[in-house]
Amino acid sequence: MESTPNIIDQFIGKDSRDSVSPVMRWLNPIWVAASEKGLTFKHIVRKEMTNPYGTLHGGISALIIDDAIGATTMIFMPDYQCVTVNNTIDYKSSAVEGDTLLAETLLLENESKIIKLQCEIWNADRTRLIAKGISKMLKRAK
C-alpha cells in the first residue's frame, strides 16, 4: 500500500468537488497539506455558512471540524470505519463571509478501539483561533 503522504499528494491544491462525501462536496475545501499525523484544509466562508449576524454559524464550524476529522480517519486508517462517539467544541472567535479559514487536524491517540483526534480552525495567517474540536471515535474494522 502507498504511504499516506504519497496518497495525499494527489489531492494537495485541489478542491473537494469530487469527494466521496456529500458534505465535503458542499463545504468544498482545498486540500492544503498533510503531515504524519494530520491534514490541513482551506475553507472560504460563504454567505450560506453565516448566521443572521453575518458571522460563521457555529453549526458550520462544527461541520468543518467533524468533516476534517472524518477525512483524516479515512486517509490515515483506510482499513477501519470510524464513527464519532463525541465531539467537544470550544468556540474562540468569529469569522465573516469571505474570510479564509484553515482547518488543521491532528491524530492524538490511536492506542485502542477509541481514538482521539483534534481539529483547530484558524484564520488564514494563523493569528486567531476560530474554534477547536476534540473528537473521540470508535474504530471498527471494515
Side-chain angles (χ1 to χ4, degrees):
M1 183 174 149
E2 286 184 84
S3 69
T4 298
N6 291 338
I7 292 169
I8 293 298
D9 286 346
Q10 65 185 316
F11 298 113
I12 299 300
K14 296 182 180 172
D15 66 27
S16 301
R17 283 181 281 188
D18 297 324
S19 173
V20 297
S21 164
V23 168
M24 185 172 265
R25 286 194 303 266
W26 182 81
L27 287 171
N28 198 26
I30 305 292
W31 293 68
V32 175
S35 69
E36 292 299 315
K37 287 193 163 192
L39 303 173
T40 302
F41 297 94
K42 179 172 71 172
H43 292 265
I44 306 298
V45 179
R46 302 186 311 263
K47 184 170 183 65
E48 63 269 25
M49 296 173 153
T50 63
N51 60 30
Y53 302 108
T55 60
L56 181 65
H57 192 288
I60 300 297
S61 296
L63 183 62
I64 289 170
I65 288 168
D66 194 52
D67 194 61
I69 285 173
T72 301
T73 63
M74 290 182 77
I75 294 293
F76 286 88
M77 292 171 249
D79 297 330
Y80 294 92
Q81 181 180 16
C82 299
V83 294
T84 304
V85 173
N86 71 19
N87 194 0
T88 303
I89 300 170
D90 293 325
Y91 298 93
K92 302 293 189 176
S93 60
S94 62
V96 296
E97 183 180 352
D99 281 356
T100 297
L101 305 177
L102 297 172
E104 301 176 337
T105 66
L106 180 63
L107 179 59
L108 300 174
E109 296 175 15
N110 187 15
E111 305 290 321
S112 67
K113 282 182 155 183
I114 301 291
I115 60 173
K116 188 175 180 182
L117 297 99
Q118 167 185 292
C119 181
E120 294 179 335
I121 302 175
W122 290 90
N123 66 334
D125 63 5
R126 291 181 175 85
T127 58
R128 190 166 36 89
L129 181 61
I130 307 300
K132 178 179 179 177
I134 303 284
S135 287
K136 288 184 180 175
M137 303 186 84
L138 176 63
K139 181 173 71 172
R140 301 184 301 195
K142 287 186 176 177

